[in-house]
Amino acid sequence: MHPALTGATALRILRQLRHDPRTVALLLVVPSLLLVLLRFVFDDEVFFARLAPQLVAIFPFVVLFLITSIATLRERRSGTLERLMTLPVGRFDLLLGYALAFGLVAVVQVAVVIAVALGLGMETEGSLWTLGVIALVDALLGIALGLFASAFARSEFQVVQFMPAFVMPQVLLCGLFAPREDMADALYWISVVMPLSYAVDAITEAVERTEVTGDLLVDTGIVLGSAVLALLLGAATLRRRTP
Amino acid sequence: MDTDAVTATGLTVRRGGQDVLTGLDLSVPAGEVVGLLGPSGSGKTTLMRAITGVQRITAGTVTVLGHPAGAAPLRTLIGYAAQTPSVYADLTVRENLTYFASVLRAPRTDPDRVMAEVGLTDLARRPAGELSGGQHARASLAVALLGSPRLLVLDEPTVGLDPVLREELWSLFHRLRDRGTTLLVSSHVMEEAGRCDRLVLLREGRLVTEETPARLRTRTGVQDLEQAFLRIVREPDLGHGRHERPASEAPTGGED
């Protein structure tokens, strides 16, 4: 692995984003608008206070899954990935470059979402930094899964379908809509193997307790571990030789 | 045989149950412009991908500059421009070149040098996606020139170019050869065959012939290279000249 190549790749991806200001605006504005919408649809401060932190964990995950999977799919299909595979750059240099660039995007997005959520009445016992770090780890999970998922898509149509396939079951089962403990056994056990469940557990822990608990660290660790696993699986899909 | 930049022995590539290349034996001498000719579907692109090491091969060996194709040391020694321009459409020409130059650890001045060589200096700040077809192809070619590789593998680099630009690119190829670079250039335009030092004709995944344009003309008794190829295809007995390589016919430029 070469930090210089990771840096150059991250810089290149950020430059691509700079040429596409509309995407950047959508990345920052859409989650905030959805938060505002939810606040007034439910029109219930207590309910929103419970919901908002979980959304802070879920939004970056969903959005970054989507943009990472499409960006890497474009790289695979435009021939630039094949070109890079003939050059002295390793697959981890590329993957970490992607993770770094979109991770920076996630930092900005998470900051905006947290600020808007606080403005709308979200309350937290734990520190905002803890909340931010957990949201960022979730974003990293979205990036890693997006990198992995793009390997199985041949077109933009397919990759957009992966969003409901990879993401929606996790959102449905993560405890956002119903507490996981109350679910039917089968559903509960499915939720146990889904990393987003631990993200929501961690953020709930962070909101309810002032101190950083052991449970919080374990949950966040599981999310981070899943992200690393997805990155490794994603690396396995980057092949120098193709049929 | 260190005078050969590329050697392929028994190269076979099977894809979807069909042979794309069948038992191909080929050697590309160093310091020459070698034209890879053949109709579309004849296996030109697959052969080029095998040489650059991105093609999974079924049987045979490919040796490039003394290394097995795809070996790590080759990654700075080969410049490859695929048929579809492989640059980032949303980056400018310069941003593309800056990125690939940093991947190659090429000199900082390289992006400017290669832009001048392919005539894109005036379009440095234009996003690659807004370039015309020919400009787009030249941007992709410019990336292949970064880091001054010893072997250039160019898949149809002159497609869609007007005669003036095509002429300019061919003089660039000859200049590069005179500096000692080996070039493998594919084309389906026979009029370009005459610009090459050596010709390789592929047909249905097999090597039909490999020799210099002059020798091809004498052997077939036809001046026009397109006609010469037609004769070779129709009379397979004529196609056995590929291992003869008289020294008198070697170009003077690429001696090493």
Side-chain angles (χ1 to χ4, degrees):
Chain A
M1 269 188 269
H2 308 92
L5 295 182
T6 301
T9 301
L11 193 64
R12 184 261 296 172
I13 294 159
L14 292 174
R15 281 199 173 125
Q16 287 179 283
L17 274 179
R18 200 183 60 190
H19 285 284
D20 189 2
R22 193 177 303 175
T23 295
V24 177
L26 287 168
L27 277 172
L28 300 183
V29 171
V30 170
S32 310
L33 282 180
L34 285 174
L35 272 181
V36 174
L37 198 62
L38 282 167
R39 168 69 185 81
F40 293 105
V41 164
F42 291 108
D43 201 21
D44 178 340
E45 271 178 40
V46 180
F47 186 64
F48 182 79
R50 186 184 76 79
L51 193 70
Q54 302 185 344
L55 291 172
V56 166
I58 291 168
F59 279 149
F61 169 74
V62 174
V63 174
L64 283 151
F65 173 87
L66 200 56
I67 62 164
T68 313
S69 55
I70 290 179
T72 39
L73 180 75
R74 279 166 62 186
E75 180 110 76
R76 285 174 203 272
R77 289 174 55 78
S78 67
T80 47
L81 182 66
E82 178 168 294
R83 167 162 253 159
L84 287 169
M85 290 291 130
T86 69
L87 300 177
V89 59
R91 46 196 182 176
F92 281 105
D93 299 328
L94 291 178
L95 283 177
L96 293 177
Y98 265 94
L100 184 62
F102 287 130
L104 287 173
V105 172
V107 168
V108 181
Q109 192 191 45
V110 163
V112 172
V113 168
I114 289 182
V116 172
L118 287 172
L120 291 169
M122 178 180 80
E123 283 166 7
T124 169
E125 295 291 325
S127 93
L128 285 176
W129 289 108
T130 317
L131 226 57
V133 167
I134 295 170
L136 203 58
V137 172
D138 298 347
L140 215 55
L141 177 69
I143 292 167
L145 280 177
L147 286 166
F148 176 61
S150 75
F152 303 98
R154 294 262 166 108
S155 68
E156 278 84 351
F157 287 139
Q158 292 179 6
V159 86
V160 170
Q161 297 302 318
F162 279 149
M163 160 95 159
F166 267 74
V167 171
M168 276 308 283
Q170 301 207 49
V171 173
L172 286 172
L173 295 174
C174 70
L176 175 69
F177 294 99
R180 288 168 56 210
E181 294 74 21
D182 301 347
M183 290 176 186
D185 277 355
L187 293 183
Y188 175 78
W189 284 108
I190 297 174
S191 80
V192 166
V193 294
M194 294 196 164
L196 195 63
S197 309
Y198 298 92
V200 167
D201 284 356
I203 213 136
T204 311
E205 194 82 1
V207 172
E208 288 172 356
R209 306 288 188 84
T210 43
E211 75 277 21
V212 175
T213 64
D215 280 353
L216 189 157
L217 289 178
V218 169
D219 286 335
T220 312
I222 289 173
V223 179
L224 194 61
S226 307
V228 171
L229 183 66
L231 268 184
L232 291 174
L233 290 171
T237 68
L238 292 180
R239 297 263 164 81
R240 287 205 192 259
R241 281 183 193 272
T242 50
Chain B
M1 288 284 282
D2 55 357
T3 52
D4 281 341
V6 180
T7 319
T9 333
L11 174 61
T12 301
V13 174
R14 197 167 297 140
R15 196 186 292 133
Q18 276 193 313
D19 275 7
V20 188
L21 293 175
T22 313
L24 198 86
D25 295 315
L26 173 76
S27 47
V28 174
E32 292 194 9
V33 180
V34 177
L36 185 56
L37 301 161
S40 67
S42 58
K44 300 191 296 290
T45 297
T46 306
L47 174 58
M48 295 188 132
R49 295 184 73 238
I51 291 169
T52 55
V54 294
Q55 175 68 52
R56 204 175 291 159
I57 63 177
T58 312
T61 57
V62 185
T63 308
V64 183
L65 303 169
H67 301 276
L74 290 174
R75 286 175 200 147
T76 52
L77 302 179
I78 306 181
Y80 172 48
Q83 203 169 345
T84 41
S86 309
V87 287
Y88 297 98
D90 43 7
L91 290 182
T92 66
V93 173
R94 181 186 296 280
E95 286 170 337
N96 267 292
L97 291 168
T98 307
Y99 173 58
F100 286 112
S102 60
V103 167
L104 276 161
R105 298 173 176 84
R108 280 180 180 283
T109 50
D110 250 25
D112 285 314
R113 176 182 65 86
V114 298
M115 273 192 285
E117 277 178 337
V118 301
L120 281 182
T121 306
D122 293 341
L123 298 170
R125 300 172 71 173
R126 183 82 61 87
E130 292 175 16
L131 297 173
S132 74
Q135 294 163 346
H136 205 179
R138 279 185 286 149
S140 190
L141 171 63
V143 175
L145 298 178
L146 288 167
S148 308
R150 281 171 57 195
L151 171 67
L152 275 170
V153 179
L154 309 176
D155 202 350
E156 309 245 353
T158 58
V159 133
L161 294 185
D162 69 58
V164 179
L165 278 170
R166 190 179 298 176
E167 176 68 32
E168 281 176 17
L169 280 193
W170 275 100
S171 17
L172 168 65
F173 297 162
H174 290 146
R175 280 204 307 281
L176 291 166
R177 176 208 51 202
D178 295 341
R179 282 186 232 153
T181 311
T182 307
L183 292 96
L184 184 63
V185 182
S186 77
S187 176
H188 60 262
V189 190
M190 285 296 173
E191 66 187 61
E192 296 192 326
R195 325 288 305 255
C196 302
D197 302 319
R198 184 172 298 273
L199 301 171
V200 172
L201 180 67
L202 284 188
R203 199 160 179 272
E204 291 168 354
R206 290 170 195 276
L207 185 83
V208 178
T209 190
E210 180 210 322
E211 59 193 330
T212 66
R215 201 171 147 68
L216 188 68
R217 288 188 176 109
T218 13
R219 213 149 50 73
T220 54
V222 187
Q223 268 307 297
D224 182 62
L225 286 170
E226 181 144 11
Q227 293 300 321
F229 274 137
L230 280 174
R231 280 207 63 183
I232 294 237
V233 170
R234 287 186 188 135
E235 298 166 48
D237 287 350
L238 280 171
H240 291 316
R242 60 187 160 93
H243 296 303
E244 302 161 28
R245 196 178 290 160
S248 60
E249 284 179 4
T252 47
E255 196 54 46
D256 60 6

